[in-house]
Amino acid sequence: MTSQFDKSIIPFQSGWGNIQRPTLLVNKTRAVRNLKGMITKAVRSGTLLRPHFKTHQLAQVGEWFRAAGVDRITVSSLSMAAYFAENGWRDITVAFPVNIRELPEINSLARRIRLNLLVESLPAVRQLSKQLQHPVGVWMKIDTGYGRTGLAADNVEAILALAKEINESMHLEFMGLLSHSGHTYNAENRKQVIAIHNAGLKSLQSLQQMLQGEVGARPAISMGDTPSCSVLESFNGVDEMRPGNFIYYDLMQWGRGVCEAEDIAAAVACPVVAVHPERDEVVVYGGAVHLSKEMLQDEKGHPSYGRVAMLEEKGWGNWLPQVKLGKVSQEHGILQGKIPLISEDLIGKLVAIIPNHSCLAADLLHEVCFFEGDQ
Amino acid sequence: MTSQFDKSIIPFQSGWGNIQRPTLLVNKTRAVRNLKGMITKAVRSGTLLRPHFKTHQLAQVGEWFRAAGVDRITVSSLSMAAYFAENGWRDITVAFPVNIRELPEINSLARRIRLNLLVESLPAVRQLSKQLQHPVGVWMKIDTGYGRTGLAADNVEAILALAKEINESMHLEFMGLLSHSGHTYNAENRKQVIAIHNAGLKSLQSLQQMLQGEVGARPAISMGDTPSCSVLESFNGVDEMRPGNFIYYDLMQWGRGVCEAEDIAAAVACPVVAVHPERDEVVVYGGAVHLSKEMLQDEKGHPSYGRVAMLEEKGWGNWLPQVKLGKVSQEHGILQGKIPLISEDLIGKLVAIIPNHSCLAADLLHEVCFFEGDQ
């Protein structure tokens, strides 16, 4: 059976000659360096690293984690959990409010692997209690300020009621409190990221104490996205962290000071198909269906869908300071700005687009090329 | 061999019980009505309808066109051409500047079907001349004001030089002049759409005359996207038209007065996973990887990623006037506004999201459910 997550792997053969269409380039040297740095931090704090695989969504990249000792992972959908279960992963958390329309798949997976789900409402917990045929772990999703999903951290009454309901269910094992401080993505600098993390942790610890008193066992605390896990040096008090984007990073993380340009491990190779020197534009094969419409603002406040670098022998170079991916339509990307050596000689050449959001580009592209970067 | 274009077809069984995950719902009654209306117009003008299949990208929907007498189609990539060739289509235009890195695939397809390509530069034509092993048709891409790709319509010298180069190539057959008036998507009303079409046609006709005098045979004219083909009643002077989006339409077309709400034939069913009445929000399973980040502005100028309707027995109802899909992240969608009967009873129910841009949603979703709407 093929999966929506299966990709064509394009072999890198001392050059980019195999690349014909928009292709995700992954610099393995950088990705593994990012991974090892995160593992070192986790070990130092005695925190379990349960990385989020929604960024790369690839069994092949998963093997780099496995080789580094990771055996528990996070994903963002049950379909993705099924794909990684097929690829040998045996302990998977679906970090998304449980979708009770997928109960047949939940039962099918829970029979084969240790499956952990997120809950935040009584109706969902009751449906699970009624229909589960195998044990699953459940985390209670707590909102510590992001405001997307989860029970508000100050809604102590509802949190306690849900914990009791979970404890009464035969197949549900209460794991603890899980939060996603997505508002770190709006932080303007590292100091703000740290402040958001610390405030969230304090909320969760106070709930942890309360629940330990009321329902017995000490619930674990799971928190930590790429901005906070990259910026913080210590995770004392956090039982597990779930960063995902750090394996590749991207322009969004770079713009918030979370990574350096040299940490970015993914870019999109795009063939040049048209050149318009009269208006400083180059058209590439690479559009919304390859890079997404994730938009950032350039220095002048205008839309930018990515930065542009030349492809060199061993990876992409520095991005060109006055060039951007200024427009995307379904399959077209329009590079705008001072493009060096702009002429029709570029037709058929490849350029590298550094994506605004590597998770979405990795999700969209159907072809991936891994290469060893410079050490 | 499976293709990136293969989707799971979810059977509609007198209800939505089979839908578990974000799924494209296609109202076949509306789609076929849209198709028949377009065919009627094309026949009346004596213009060939060569519909653009990049909107639906589905062999199953292609069969509705075939049943209505369509046998020539447009696609936006060579991969898509290969998919439709596998599904029995024998005359396909790839309406994207030819990507010469795909010459092996071009030769492979040109051996099996009538393949038509777009060219706009001497280097691309020369590469084709050198490497083609089978005849292909070529259209010269002319820019009549959109400013994305193509030779500027007033660059008569370059157009003539390219036409001569094409005529000298053994395997290239010069089809004519092709334009895409993408600026109709910025038109504010039907009158502006008509003006853009007429100005573009005039430019192409003047080039047609010039080329007929200089190189002999009369080049054909191919133009007409969904806004112009929907709004105009006559296509005199146009040899072929290539609308695509009209099969489904969407909010972008509706907003420009190009279609009625009752013409929109595609929506996305999304399961409700969390409810937050305290801030008038409902969280659905359905985010950027399902609907794209295509953004429109609501009445107040704030971002909107789609409109929201309830699912009824035979399709979605009218969209809720004061509700929108206000935020999307990778897998989450946040409905905001006055959601009727907002309570935790919604958990596990489906809502329908009317997409801003149906082409991108159709590209992204992995599951499709066809149903017969009311006549």
Side-chain angles (χ1 to χ4, degrees), chain A residues 301-315:
Chain A
H302 297 147
S304 171
Y305 296 91
R307 301 303 295 254
V308 182
M310 298 322 247
L311 263 181
E312 297 164 4
E313 201 188 335
K314 277 253 181 175

Side-chain angles (χ1 to χ4, degrees), chain A residues 57 76-77 80 96, chain B residues 284-290 329-333:
Chain A
Q57 306 185 16
S76 56
S77 68
M80 208 184 292
F96 188 84
Chain B
V284 297
Y285 180 14
V289 298
H290 310 104
S329 43
Q330 186 159 344
E331 312 263 0
H332 300 73

Side-chain angles (χ1 to χ4, degrees), chain A residues 230-249:
Chain A
S230 300
V231 167
L232 277 126
E233 288 305 324
S234 157
F235 293 87
N236 291 335
V238 177
D239 296 287
E240 70 166 38
M241 54 201 249
R242 309 181 319 280
N245 182 282
F246 76 98
I247 189 71
Y248 292 160
Y249 288 117

Side-chain angles (χ1 to χ4, degrees), chain B residues 129-147:
Chain B
S129 296
K130 213 190 302 180
Q131 297 194 45
L132 276 180
Q133 290 151 9
H134 307 277
V136 304
V138 288
W139 291 89
M140 204 187 297
K141 180 71 191 286
I142 305 295
D143 181 3
T144 57
Y146 180 34

Side-chain angles (χ1 to χ4, degrees), chain A residues 67-125:
Chain A
V70 169
D71 62 356
R72 280 168 277 189
I73 64 171
T74 309
V75 298
S76 56
S77 68
L78 215 58
S79 312
M80 208 184 292
Y83 167 76
F84 282 109
E86 284 292 316
N87 285 284
W89 294 89
R90 289 287 162 264
D91 189 328
I92 304 179
T93 297
V94 182
F96 188 84
V98 62
N99 169 22
I100 57 176
R101 297 183 78 88
E102 291 182 292
L103 263 158
E105 281 68 27
I106 291 172
N107 272 317
S108 153
L109 264 177
R111 188 174 55 77
R112 291 179 285 150
I113 66 161
R114 170 63 184 196
L115 182 68
N116 306 297
L117 302 173
L118 261 56
V119 297
E120 65 168 275
S121 73
L122 286 170
V125 168

Side-chain angles (χ1 to χ4, degrees), chain A residues 101, chain B residues 7 10 16 19-27 30 55 248-251 264-272 283-294 305-312 315-317 319 324-325 328 330-335 349-371:
Chain A
R101 297 183 78 88
Chain B
K7 309 275 183 183
I10 310 295
W16 312 104
I19 291 175
Q20 296 181 285
R21 285 169 288 276
T23 300
L24 187 75
L25 306 181
V26 178
N27 182 325
R30 290 183 178 184
T55 301
Y248 292 160
Y249 288 117
D250 53 30
L251 288 179
I264 299 179
V268 183
C270 295
V272 171
V283 183
V284 297
Y285 180 14
V289 298
H290 310 104
L291 283 145
S292 89
K293 285 214 153 184
E294 188 82 67
Y305 296 92
R307 302 303 296 255
V308 182
M310 298 323 247
L311 263 181
E312 298 164 3
W316 54 91
W319 61 74
K324 64 175 181 175
L325 179 62
V328 286
Q330 186 159 344
E331 312 263 0
H332 300 73
I334 314 292
L335 315 186
K349 300 273 192 307
L350 295 172
V351 296
I353 308 290
I354 319 295
N356 287 346
H357 191 169
S358 59
C359 307
L360 295 186
D363 177 81
L364 287 165
L365 290 158
H366 298 282
E367 293 172 85
V368 182
C369 176
F370 301 113
F371 67 98

Side-chain angles (χ1 to χ4, degrees), chain B residues 12-164:
Chain B
F12 175 84
Q13 283 165 338
S14 61
W16 312 104
N18 290 325
I19 291 175
Q20 296 181 285
R21 285 169 288 276
T23 300
L24 187 75
L25 306 181
V26 178
N27 182 325
K28 183 179 172 184
T29 310
R30 290 183 178 184
V32 170
R33 191 176 65 208
N34 294 341
L35 172 57
K36 292 203 167 147
M38 199 58 83
I39 288 176
T40 303
K41 277 193 187 185
V43 168
R44 204 163 50 210
S45 293
T47 301
L48 172 74
L49 176 65
R50 185 188 280 277
H52 208 316
F53 275 18
K54 74 168 181 166
T55 301
H56 60 81
Q57 306 185 15
L58 277 176
Q60 291 87 343
V61 175
E63 293 308 314
W64 306 344
F65 286 81
R66 209 196 302 267
V70 170
D71 62 355
R72 281 168 276 190
I73 64 171
T74 309
V75 299
S76 56
S77 69
L78 217 58
S79 313
M80 208 185 291
Y83 167 76
F84 282 109
E86 284 292 316
N87 284 283
W89 294 89
R90 289 286 164 266
D91 188 328
I92 304 179
T93 297
V94 183
F96 188 84
V98 63
N99 169 23
I100 57 176
R101 296 182 78 89
E102 290 182 293
L103 263 157
E105 282 67 26
I106 291 172
N107 272 316
S108 154
L109 265 177
R111 189 173 55 77
R112 291 179 285 150
I113 65 161
R114 169 65 184 196
L115 182 68
N116 306 297
L117 302 172
L118 261 56
V119 297
E120 64 167 277
S121 74
L122 286 170
V125 168
R126 285 177 187 146
Q127 281 292 323
L128 288 174
S129 296
K130 213 190 302 180
Q131 297 194 45
L132 276 180
Q133 290 151 9
H134 307 277
V136 304
V138 288
W139 291 89
M140 204 187 297
K141 180 71 191 286
I142 305 295
D143 181 3
T144 57
Y146 180 34
R148 185 174 66 178
T149 60
L151 289 157
D154 60 4
N155 194 350
V156 177
E157 199 180 340
I159 289 168
L160 185 57
L162 198 61
K164 286 180 174 169

